[in-house]
Structure formats: C-alpha cells, structure tokens
Amino acid sequence: MSAPTSSPIVDEPFPLPQRWGQPEVERLTAAMQQSSLFYWKGPQTEALLAAFREFYPLKHLFPCSSGTASVHLAIAASKFKPGAEVLVPAVTDMGSAIGILHQLLVPVFVDIDPRTYNAPPELIEAAITPRTKAILAVHLTGNPVELDAYRTIADEHDLVLIEDCAQAWGTKFEDRYVGTVGDLACWSFNDYKHLSCGDGGMVGTNDDDIGLHLGKWGDKCYNRITGIRNPDELAYNYRMSEPLSAVCAAQMGKHDAIVQPRTARGRQLSAALADVPGVLPPSIRNQDTPTFYNYIFRLDLPSLSCSQDEFAAALVAEGVNANTYLPDPVYRYDLFQTHNFYAGTWPVRDMGLTEMDYTQVVCPESEKFLNDCVQLPFNEAMTDTYIDKVALAIRTVAQRFSS
Ligand SMILES: Cc1ncc(COP(=O)(O)O)c(C=O)c1O
C-alpha cells in the first residue's frame, strides 16, 4: 500500500458556481413593483410557466412549494382510494414517499439495479399486485429509468406513471426529456437541485381531468378558473408565490448552461474511471443523457483493503469533495420500522386495507449499494482540468487500497 501523497492531488478549492445573479435580480425587482405577489395570473408565474414549457411542454402545470409537495399533488390528483399501493424505489429521498403516506396509500419499495441505481423494469413488474395503482419512477442522480419499459408496464397493468424528476433536470431518455413520458411529472427547485429558488417545485400533466385537480389540490380546492369557492374535496395550500416564481423563471433561462456541463463532466469522469481497480462507475446507456445531480460510484470492497468510510476519507485527504450517500434505504427509517405515520398509528393497516409490515422489507441491492458507494457533489462550475484531478485522486486512492 503506497502512502498518501504529501500535498493533495486536487490542489484547488471545490468550484462553486454563481447560481443567482442579474436575471434573478431583474425579475425580483419587477416583482417588487407589482401590486400583488399572488400566483394566479401573476406575471412571474406566467413567465415561469412559459420558460418551463420550452423544455417540458406539459399542458397543465402547478408551481408549488417543494418537490415533496409536487409528488404529493401528483398522488392526490390521481385520486387513489386508501390502501392502494404505489411502487417506489427503495433508494430515494423521503420526499418521494411523504405524499403517498399522507394520502393513506401504501408505498411498496422496489430494489434497485446495482449499476444504474434505479429500479429496473423487471422488479417493478414483479412488485405489482391487484392493489397497485401507480409507479413512481425516480430518475436517481439524473440518470433516467428505462422509461419505455416503465410506460409499457404501466399501460399493460392500467397504472398511473408518475415521474419524480427532482434530481433529473435536463435528463433525457433517448431523445425525450424525462418528465414528458409519464402521466404526471414532478420537479424540485430546492437548494441542492440543478435549478433552485431555495425551495420550490413543479408538477405537471397533459391529462385535463388530473390537471384541473392538480391546481385545486394545490390551492385549497378553490377553482381559480371558474372562480367558484366551494371546496368539494380536502386539499392543501402548496402555492408558489411570485418572488419564488421570479427566481425560478430566471433559472429556467439558464437550464442548458447548468445541465449541459454536468453531462460532459460526468461522462469525462466515467471514462477516466473505467479501468480503475476496485472502482465501479455508474452504468449509463449511450443513447441517454444523464445530467449528474451528483456523481456516485461504487467500491468493490472485497478487492480493496479499506471500508467505504476509509475510502471516502482518503479522497477528502486528497482534496476531493467526497462523502457517502444516504444512510439507509427509505424503509429502514424509524417511522417505517415503527409504522409511526399518524401519531403512533397507521390507520391504513388498522382499517385492514394492507398487511404491509416494513420491518420485514429487505432490498438487498439497495442495502449493499448504500454500504459501498461514494458520492461526489457535482456542479456546472467544474472544469475538465478539475475533473482530471478528481479522477487521478480516485485512481491513486484505489491503487493504494488495492490488495
Ligand atoms: C428524488 C427526490 N424526490 C423528491 C425530493 C423532494 O424534494 P424537496 O426537497 O424539494 O421537497 C427530492 C429532494 O431531495 C429528491 O431527491
């Protein structure tokens, strides 16, 4: 085992982009001169919708307060009866599952593919039961799921396909943007995402009936189109106000400038890591365009004389911004292990609508993945020279730990 190098291989600070600037300031200034900051027919909201549709031309859109809210609205607008099952990958953000639980539905966790980190179509299909009503397709890390296969499965089994594109701004499945294939699609503008206003979201569909409900469910069940204020269903207030829409509209103008360098840098890093011993870059199909929300590679730990944490720490010592990813698959979180969804109870099970017991769920590939993966935060300010240094640091650390 060779010793750590005396000066770090990555000898420059982690590049940080200037994420907000003049376009955001101009829109915010315009908003401050408006007489109202309410979203309905607000000029900033209209600008956001127009800019968003240039990439994702969905008929009905509802800008909302978070990615979590967008998934909740997609689920709620689909109007499933309590106890219906929704298929969700075991590795995702809690925000993918929150709305499902709140609508008294049952998240059914599906294991992931070890190299794409997404739920493979065959496992999605195998998890379908007579109670399954929807698939939540999460494009983890900005790498698309196999959308055509998901679409076929959804159609054959009469399921609603909801795309969770929170980590996948600008990602393309073959020549189509993700978010344009599902029945509904959701995005996040939170601070970590490619495009951001701090916290926000977007949900959309081409379905007229679901589209009307998206707007109503996000706006206390008021019908802004008819002006009728007579809620006929229990809904939420997940509206996005004009200042946040102003920032998001400006961010949409930078969409390509933000996502395209990430694609290039991610591909560069994968090529550089292809022959590094003990390191497994993510599997990406040539015909797809991933946009690398983050870059996650795996370690073949049996061939390395280190743990996941030791590898990540050695990278940090070499100047790489590296860490591990999520601590656990979602079903391992305490609230699932104790079924503590509503003040210590789970009405869905108490009513006999499900026999689900999350203490019995095991998704082996998801567990292995989270125990041997290394995450590199990614952004559009990284240069190819910087990526070369990161790749050299990974190669050096891997060689040091190669047994
Ligand atoms: C895949 C996925 N879905 C949903 C969310 C929830 O988004 P937000 O944090 O905006 O609520 C996130 C956020 O990390 C995410 O990564």
Side-chain angles (χ1 to χ4, degrees):
M1 182 167 79
S2 64
T5 43
S6 52
S7 58
I9 294 171
V10 180
D11 55 0
E12 55 182 297
F14 182 62
L16 289 175
Q18 180 60 48
R19 304 180 69 191
W20 305 279
Q22 202 53 30
E24 286 78 9
V25 170
E26 280 169 19
R27 286 219 156 267
L28 280 169
T29 305
M32 292 303 109
Q33 285 154 11
Q34 295 171 195
S35 58
S36 161
L37 295 177
F38 190 58
Y39 86 102
W40 183 249
K41 296 206 184 295
Q44 304 307 325
T45 306
E46 296 291 323
L48 167 58
L49 297 178
F52 189 91
R53 285 197 174 99
E54 283 182 26
F55 300 93
Y56 314 99
L58 298 176
K59 196 166 165 196
H60 305 276
L61 291 170
F62 188 81
C64 52
S65 53
S66 68
T68 305
S70 70
V71 177
H72 192 176
L73 289 176
I75 293 282
S78 301
K79 294 195 179 184
F80 306 123
K81 298 263 186 291
E85 296 176 355
V86 180
L87 306 183
V88 192
V91 179
T92 185
D93 181 73
M94 186 62 208
S96 301
I98 286 173
I100 302 172
L101 291 164
H102 271 290
Q103 290 313 114
L104 300 179
L105 308 174
V106 181
V108 173
F109 292 104
V110 179
D111 209 353
I112 59 162
D113 175 274
R115 298 299 298 278
T116 67
Y117 323 145
N118 285 327
E122 55 279 12
L123 293 190
I124 290 283
E125 190 151 33
I128 294 172
T129 74
R131 287 179 176 170
T132 310
K133 292 290 175 211
I135 305 169
L136 190 75
V138 179
H139 308 287
L140 205 77
T141 76
N143 193 18
V145 305
E146 290 178 50
L147 263 178
D148 278 344
Y150 271 59
R151 184 71 268 172
T152 304
I153 294 169
D155 291 343
E156 278 175 8
H157 296 270
D158 199 18
L159 307 177
V160 175
L161 178 60
I162 302 172
E163 291 186 65
D164 180 341
C165 311
Q167 299 189 5
W169 284 99
T171 294
K172 283 185 179 165
F173 171 77
E174 297 174 3
D175 57 351
R176 286 158 285 166
Y177 280 119
V178 300
T180 60
V181 175
D183 300 296
L184 293 118
C186 313
W187 287 263
S188 166
F189 285 104
N190 88 17
D191 205 51
Y192 302 98
K193 299 303 185 277
H194 304 64
L195 311 181
S196 174
C197 64
D199 259 318
M202 183 72 85
V203 54
T205 181
N206 282 323
D207 182 295
D208 288 334
D209 185 44
I210 295 181
L212 172 66
H213 282 91
L214 277 183
K216 285 173 69 181
W217 277 88
D219 191 1
K220 298 188 277 189
C221 206
Y222 293 160
N223 188 331
R224 300 278 165 199
I225 299 167
T226 60
I228 294 171
R229 190 178 274 230
N230 179 15
D232 54 358
E233 288 168 309
L234 180 61
Y236 306 91
N237 176 354
Y238 281 155
R239 300 180 306 229
M240 178 186 276
S241 68
E242 280 278 276
L244 290 178
S245 288
V247 176
C248 291
Q251 289 274 289
M252 289 308 304
K254 303 174 182 175
H255 182 279
D256 285 353
I258 289 173
V259 304
Q260 287 175 357
R262 289 168 176 253
T263 302
R265 298 292 99 79
R267 286 200 165 125
Q268 179 193 346
L269 185 54
S270 280
L273 297 182
D275 64 345
V276 175
V279 167
L280 304 164
S283 163
I284 285 149
R285 302 187 325 150
N286 283 339
Q287 61 272 46
D288 294 336
T289 308
T291 56
F292 296 93
Y293 164 65
N294 48 9
Y295 188 100
I296 301 184
F297 60 90
R298 297 190 66 172
L299 301 173
D300 177 29
L301 286 176
S303 72
L304 298 169
S305 59
C306 64
S307 67
Q308 177 193 34
D309 286 340
E310 285 165 342
F311 196 100
L315 283 182
V316 172
E318 293 296 353
V320 181
N321 185 4
N323 49 44
T324 54
Y325 190 40
L326 304 168
D328 286 304
V330 175
Y331 58 81
R332 290 254 176 239
Y333 293 155
D334 281 355
L335 87 165
F336 284 99
Q337 290 298 303
T338 55
H339 301 95
N340 177 17
F341 301 128
Y342 286 88
T345 69
W346 191 18
V348 180
R349 206 165 60 171
D350 299 344
M351 287 187 291
L353 298 175
T354 184
E355 293 86 47
M356 176 62 80
D357 177 353
Y358 290 109
T359 66
Q360 300 304 306
V361 174
V362 181
C363 294
E365 292 299 342
S366 301
E367 309 230 351
K368 270 192 263 168
F369 165 67
L370 293 175
N371 285 324
D372 67 20
C373 71
V374 175
Q375 169 181 231
L376 309 177
F378 230 60
N379 68 51
E380 58 279 13
M382 296 169 150
T383 61
D384 50 2
T385 326
Y386 180 83
I387 293 291
D388 282 343
K389 291 178 189 173
V390 170
L392 179 61
I394 296 171
R395 179 181 296 277
T396 306
V397 167
Q399 282 167 347
R400 193 185 303 152
F401 287 126
S402 282
S403 22

